[in-house]
Amino acid sequence: MTRFAGKRAVVTGAGSGIGRATAARLVGEGARVAFIDKDGERAERAVADLAFPDRTAVFVADCADEDQIRAAIDGAAERFGGLDVVVANAGIELAGQDAPVADLDRAVWDALLRTNLDGQFLTCKYGIRHLLANRGGAVVCVGSNCGQLGLAGGEPAYSASKGGIYALMRVMAMDYVGAGIRVNLVLPGLIDTPMNEITDMNAWTQRIPIGRAGTAEECAAAVSWLASDDASYCVGTTLVVDGGQAAI
């Protein structure tokens, strides 16, 4: 497919998991893509595995550091001559440190909100500026079904950070639709990625109607669809990719 031929994109957290799969899919469908990740070596490895490395650029940035993410996004726009697609994906989960609120350390709360919510805000802030200059484009945020369904018992900071992304997306969608910018959200459920390596997959999959964890590639398919012109009538949409958990 060449849905993204001539398009220019940035993807945060592109060194692994959903971000890596999404960036690879966009490249495979014709886009030029900036792989933004705080681990430069990881991002370089992701690019090295692609069939079209000439369509890529790697930028090292912590998405929650305003100076770093601004430099990365501005650098990508300069390299490509503008931007058409912004994928705000980077996130963390501090399993074993996140805890019920009476026992939750403020530093853990701050770390999760900083990366997961502040990082999305800053990625969108600087990405949307380039979409405005381009007179349109698409933003896809990646959150979690935990932000809406309360599935992550004992992880209130993670869940709150993901719930914040949902609210942020809806307001951005209304603020920028008149400028030709579509903002939408993908909500993954349990996905088999490095971030979930310590999760007891067998216990979790028993709670999923489809009976298994999802793959990064399945999430990437959802993200790329929302970013494409195939989803031209989708604004403020939440696309759940969770094997049926939201239906329970």
Side-chain angles (χ1 to χ4, degrees), residues 18-39:
I18 295 170
R20 178 173 180 164
T22 297
R25 181 165 183 136
L26 294 175
V27 171
E29 292 194 39
R32 286 176 288 168
V33 181
F35 286 58
I36 300 176
D37 200 283
K38 64 182 180 181
D39 186 331

Side-chain angles (χ1 to χ4, degrees), residues 14-243:
S16 66
I18 295 170
R20 178 173 180 164
T22 297
R25 181 165 183 136
L26 294 175
V27 171
E29 292 194 39
R32 286 176 288 168
V33 181
F35 286 58
I36 300 176
D37 200 283
K38 64 182 180 181
D39 186 331
E41 291 184 1
R42 186 169 61 185
E44 292 286 359
R45 288 194 299 270
V47 167
D49 288 340
L50 300 178
F52 307 100
D54 56 309
R55 297 181 191 162
T56 67
V58 170
F59 292 88
V60 179
D62 178 346
C63 66
D65 183 303
E66 186 160 8
D67 290 338
Q68 290 185 24
I69 194 63
R70 176 176 57 213
I73 292 173
D74 288 352
E78 182 177 0
R79 175 82 63 90
F80 298 150
L83 293 177
D84 304 283
V85 175
V86 174
V87 179
N89 163 78
I92 61 172
E93 181 181 12
L94 300 179
Q97 299 179 61
D98 206 351
V101 292
D103 303 308
L104 179 58
D105 190 292
R106 176 61 187 268
V108 174
W109 171 272
D110 288 345
L112 283 160
L113 269 291
R114 179 177 180 273
T115 296
N116 293 353
L117 186 54
D118 292 0
Q120 293 258 341
F121 154 62
L122 292 171
T123 299
C124 293
K125 175 179 179 177
Y126 291 105
I128 287 173
R129 289 184 178 183
H130 290 287
L131 299 187
L132 289 169
N134 192 52
R135 298 185 179 180
V139 176
V140 182
C141 298
V142 179
S144 169
N145 64 355
C146 294
Q148 280 68 52
L149 302 180
L151 293 168
E155 295 191 5
Y158 177 78
S159 300
S161 70
K162 296 299 185 177
I165 294 170
Y166 173 76
L168 176 64
M169 177 279 296
R170 290 172 65 88
V171 174
M172 290 192 300
M174 295 301 97
D175 283 345
Y176 292 105
V177 65
I181 298 171
R182 296 184 301 103
V183 184
N184 293 289
L185 173 67
V186 171
L187 294 181
L190 180 65
I191 308 299
D192 189 3
T193 65
M195 191 172 77
N196 287 320
E197 284 179 348
I198 64 173
T199 299
D200 184 345
M201 286 290 183
N202 290 329
W204 271 99
T205 53
Q206 292 176 19
R207 311 176 193 179
I208 301 172
I210 205 170
R212 63 173 176 84
T215 67
E217 290 71 23
E218 287 172 318
C219 290
V223 174
S224 62
W225 180 74
L226 283 174
S228 77
D229 291 340
D230 289 342
S232 57
Y233 202 54
C234 291
V235 177
T237 294
T238 300
L239 181 52
V240 182
V241 185
D242 72 354

